[in-house]
Amino acid sequence: MVQKAKILLVDDRPENLLALEAILSALDQTLVRASSGEEALKALLTDDFAVILLDVQMPGMDGFETAAHIKRRERTRDIPIIFLTAINHGPHHTFRGYAAGAVDYISKPFDPWVLRAKVSVFVELYMKNCKLREQAALLRLQLEGDGQAGGRHEREPAGLLAELSARLAAVEEQAEALSKQLDDESADAAAVATAAHLERKLTGLRRALDALEPGTGGGAGVLPAPN
């Protein structure tokens, strides 16, 4: 079974968290609640999240301060943050949200369908990245095993490379379809940039895999992890 992505919902008001859960339940992912910035940072210590929905106005540590802590951490700095706010709709306030590292800034009340669509894009990108990392890890482990086994089975590396190349091709096809979908829907620049980053990583993995093919001079070395 495919593991579900986790979405972090941060709001100090229980009714707002309940509303977000109702809107996003159709995505069939794991929704994690946090009622404060401190609670959100604690959840981020142990779990990986596809996207964070972060309320701006909270007592104590507000959304801007929480986002600053998230972006300072190596583990969490690349997680997309969508700010939700019901205050100060002026351009200066919006700019402050983007400056804090948000990929989007949505004013309340918001269109549930639009919010769900935006979140689904980042969930899909997250799942593609997870699949890419799994394929790369599998390739490294199997190549290392072949290297330790020596030349006992000369035909195995070629068959392994063919299988992994086919798996990578499937991920490449899905990533290309996602990029076309984003272009067609005039999606947010942040989502398009994230998709482009995924495609660059796929291109790097493809080049490394091609270098291992017989006759290329690459040999059966260890594949570097994608950035």
Side-chain angles (χ1 to χ4, degrees), residues 125-134 194 198 201:
L125 289 171
Y126 173 82
M127 300 299 283
K128 293 290 190 298
N129 271 300
C130 288
K131 190 170 184 179
L132 175 60
R133 287 195 295 268
E134 289 171 1
T194 305
L198 173 60
K201 292 199 291 185

Side-chain angles (χ1 to χ4, degrees), residues 109-170:
F110 44 78
D111 185 325
W113 187 91
V114 171
L115 178 63
R116 187 163 53 242
K118 289 177 181 290
V119 171
S120 69
V121 169
F122 291 107
V123 167
E124 191 168 357
L125 289 171
Y126 173 82
M127 300 299 283
K128 293 290 190 298
N129 271 300
C130 288
K131 190 170 184 179
L132 175 60
R133 287 195 295 268
E134 289 171 1
Q135 298 288 358
L138 175 63
L139 178 59
R140 288 197 302 273
L141 287 173
Q142 292 182 324
L143 288 176
E144 288 170 0
D146 288 339
Q148 293 172 359
R152 290 182 302 172
H153 305 287
E154 294 181 358
R155 294 174 58 187
E156 287 184 1
L160 169 62
L161 289 174
E163 178 185 353
L164 291 172
S165 180
R167 293 183 184 180
L168 179 58

Side-chain angles (χ1 to χ4, degrees), residues 37-51:
E38 291 86 354
E39 190 175 334
L41 293 176
K42 186 178 297 184
L44 288 162
L45 288 174
T46 55
D47 290 326
D48 293 325
F49 292 91
V51 61

Side-chain angles (χ1 to χ4, degrees), residues 8-10 32-49 52 54 58 60-73 75-77 79 81:
L8 183 58
L9 313 176
V10 190
V32 179
R33 283 189 175 201
S35 59
S36 66
E38 291 86 354
E39 190 175 334
L41 293 176
K42 186 178 297 184
L44 288 162
L45 288 174
T46 55
D47 290 326
D48 293 325
F49 292 91
I52 302 169
L54 180 58
M58 295 186 294
M61 184 184 297
D62 66 12
F64 295 130
E65 186 178 354
T66 303
H69 282 288
I70 293 171
K71 292 302 178 182
R72 280 199 292 265
R73 292 179 178 177
R75 175 188 173 91
T76 60
R77 66 184 181 188
I79 301 177
I81 298 173

